[in-house]
């Protein structure tokens, strides 16, 4: 039908359908794999100058490979990775960065390959897996938990139990309170009811 808006290829059976594109110097091939229910390209597909490969579904979600080699994934609400493992990186000595982009604030999560460290927003939170240490405010934790930087209030560390009762309280001036949120001495222990 010359007025049809649909062009059909294949013979409605279990065989694959192949389209060959023959050029003077280069050829291309597109195969519909019937049993796998997918397309197979034998070469890169160039859609235009900025997107090399672009897939979009009816809902507007899409995946596209852009000219600089990056992969863009967009969805209306969420992207679900249905797999027990997600590998990020090139399996070499390069660091890996995940950038979280907000409308006004951004944050980078960086895996330092050589130091085996995971850093959130530079030094806000660092997990040093090589030495089993965690740092807040520094990239080089010297203890299992290392907190560094300017304290905005009198409280440096506050530990509560499951019910919200105060167990341990450390002030920015170095005072420690056990069962006490306002220690007046270097170490002050307050027993419940006293």
């Amino acid at each position: 039908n010359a007025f049809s808006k649909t062009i059909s290829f294949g013979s409605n059976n279990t065989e694959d359908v192949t389209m060959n594109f023959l050029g003077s110097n280069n050829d291309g091939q597109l195969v519909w794999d019937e049993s796998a229910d997918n397309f197979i390209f034998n070469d890169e597909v160039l859609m235009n100058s900025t997107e090399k490969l672009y897939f979009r579904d009816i809902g507007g979600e899409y995946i596209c490979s852009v000219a600089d080699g990056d992969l863009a994934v967009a969805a209306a609400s969420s992207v679900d990775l249905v797999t027990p493992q997600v590998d990020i990186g090139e399996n070499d000595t390069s660091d890996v960065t995940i950038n979280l982009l907000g409308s006004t604030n951004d944050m980078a999560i960086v895996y330092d390959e050589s130091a085996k460290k995971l850093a959130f927003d530079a030094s806000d939170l660092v997990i040093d897996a090589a030495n089993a240490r965690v740092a807040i405010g520094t990239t080089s934790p010297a203890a299992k938990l290392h907190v560094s930087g300017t304290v905005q209030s009198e409280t440096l560390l506050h530990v509560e139990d499951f019910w919200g009762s105060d167990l341990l309280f450390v002030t920015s001036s170095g005072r420690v309170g056990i069962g006490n949120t306002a220690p007046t001495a270097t170490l002050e222990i307050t027993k419940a009811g006293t």
Side-chain angles (χ1 to χ4, degrees):
N1 184 341
F3 300 102
S4 174
K5 295 181 181 178
T6 303
I7 300 173
S8 299
F9 296 93
S11 53
N12 281 333
N13 60 24
T14 58
E15 296 177 0
D16 296 345
V17 178
T18 302
M19 294 178 64
N20 291 310
F21 303 90
L22 307 176
S24 59
N25 296 315
N26 297 295
D27 299 337
Q29 188 178 73
L30 172 63
V31 178
W32 169 252
D33 186 332
E34 169 69 19
S35 61
D37 192 25
N38 62 24
F39 282 106
I40 302 170
F41 301 95
N42 77 329
D43 205 348
E44 119 183 334
V45 177
L46 182 64
M47 302 302 289
N48 57 44
S49 61
T50 59
E51 294 157 353
K52 292 185 177 180
L53 183 61
Y54 192 97
F55 295 99
R56 180 185 292 267
D57 73 6
I58 295 172
E61 292 79 11
Y62 64 85
I63 299 174
C64 67
S65 172
V66 293
D68 61 4
D70 291 342
L71 181 67
V73 179
S77 59
S78 68
V79 176
D80 299 324
L81 301 175
V82 186
T83 177
Q85 178 175 325
V86 176
D87 297 322
I88 301 173
E90 298 180 33
N91 204 23
D92 62 11
T93 58
S94 302
D95 293 347
V96 177
T97 301
I98 299 171
N99 291 311
L100 307 175
L101 307 176
S103 60
T104 55
N105 296 302
D106 301 335
M107 184 169 101
I109 301 172
V110 179
Y111 174 67
D112 184 335
E113 163 70 19
S114 61
K116 200 175 177 185
K117 289 182 183 176
L118 187 62
F120 295 81
D121 207 16
S123 65
D124 286 353
L125 174 64
V126 175
I127 300 171
D128 181 353
N131 299 299
R133 296 174 177 170
V134 176
I136 299 172
T138 178
T139 58
S140 302
K144 292 292 183 187
L145 176 61
H146 185 158
V147 180
S148 180
T150 305
V151 179
Q152 298 298 324
S153 67
E154 178 67 15
T155 307
L156 179 63
L157 177 65
H158 188 181
V159 179
E160 295 179 344
D161 65 13
F162 178 78
W163 297 274
S165 299
D166 299 309
L167 298 177
L168 178 66
F169 193 84
V170 181
T171 69
S172 58
S173 58
R175 293 185 177 138
V176 178
I178 298 176
N180 186 328
T181 60
T184 56
T186 303
L187 175 61
E188 186 172 334
I189 301 172
T190 303
K191 187 176 179 181
T194 60

